[in-house]
Amino acid sequence: MEFDTNEEMIDYCKGTGRTYVAFTLTQAQKDIGYVVLELYTDIAPATCANFIKLVKGGQFSYEGTPIHRVVPCGWIQGGDVVDGSGKGDPGFMLPDETFAVKHDEPGVLGMANMGQPHTGATQFYISLSPLPFLDGKRVAFGRVLTKQSMDNLRALQSSTMINERPVPEVTITTIHVIYEPKQ
């Protein structure tokens, strides 16, 4: 989806009743770009609430965390709020809320887990292509909203990587809610 202005995008956001988040990616102090996400608060409200809590910060926050895994033509993964290794354990797990959203296109936002049901916590992934093998196994709860955001994520595939980790490190430098409906 493309918008001519930020005001046009915010008008779209207001019309859906959903929450929208944006983050900036940086590598070696160079801005990679902005990523805008639409959260399916009407389909996966508990999963979205957990994500929004981590966006807003507190005990744990996505701000300053790395994108610790890039699988070309697969997905990017981040959100390890403990130590950025991809193995951090924040001490809580979320139940699998719904499998209603399919991994049928690039840009699907989902909750990573430890390979077992009901083990999601803070780590998330964004698909770079359709990933139907994740249907029924991972909770998808949003999508990348704009074409430019998707282009910024796809650019990560050309990074130098060691064990699927971008080198130099790619970091979520800022993250915030850009629109949240009034309760």
Side-chain angles (χ1 to χ4, degrees):
M1 191 170 286
E2 285 304 305
F3 302 97
D4 291 329
T5 65
N6 278 342
E7 291 79 22
E8 200 176 285
M9 181 178 70
I10 295 299
D11 285 344
Y12 170 84
C13 296
K14 288 177 180 178
T16 67
R18 292 177 169 167
T19 298
Y20 294 79
V21 169
F23 62 87
T24 305
L25 294 172
T26 304
Q27 186 174 37
Q29 282 114 31
K30 183 179 178 203
D31 188 28
I32 293 172
Y34 209 60
V35 176
V36 179
L37 301 171
E38 177 177 10
L39 305 183
Y40 297 158
T41 49
D42 52 332
I43 299 171
T47 305
C48 289
N50 179 66
F51 189 82
I52 293 164
K53 182 177 165 185
L54 294 159
V55 166
K56 291 180 176 180
Q59 181 182 3
F60 297 112
S61 174
Y62 286 137
E63 193 165 296
T65 62
I67 298 300
H68 62 265
R69 188 172 187 200
V70 177
V71 178
C73 299
W75 64 90
I76 66 121
Q77 188 169 329
D80 182 340
V81 298
V82 177
D83 63 11
S85 69
K87 297 177 182 177
D89 179 359
F92 66 89
M93 292 184 195
L94 302 172
D96 292 339
E97 183 174 21
T98 181
F99 297 117
V101 179
K102 303 301 178 202
H103 296 81
D104 56 357
E105 63 184 340
V108 173
L109 170 66
M111 189 57 62
N113 66 27
M114 293 188 243
Q116 299 296 318
H118 312 296
T119 58
T122 65
Q123 292 187 41
F124 64 89
Y125 60 86
I126 301 172
S127 67
L128 298 172
S129 63
L131 302 172
F133 65 91
L134 293 179
D135 290 347
K137 296 177 184 156
R138 303 291 186 277
V139 175
F141 63 99
R143 70 175 176 132
V144 173
L145 184 62
T146 66
K147 179 184 179 305
Q148 183 60 56
S149 295
M150 202 64 222
D151 290 345
N152 293 339
L153 292 172
R154 283 191 177 111
L156 296 178
Q157 297 177 104
S158 62
S159 295
T160 301
M161 287 182 253
I162 297 176
N163 296 325
E164 298 179 331
R165 189 178 184 106
V167 178
E169 187 168 85
V170 174
T171 305
I172 297 172
T173 48
T174 63
I175 187 165
H176 61 279
V177 174
I178 59 172
Y179 177 75
E180 186 171 24
K182 301 276 188 240
Q183 301 298 345

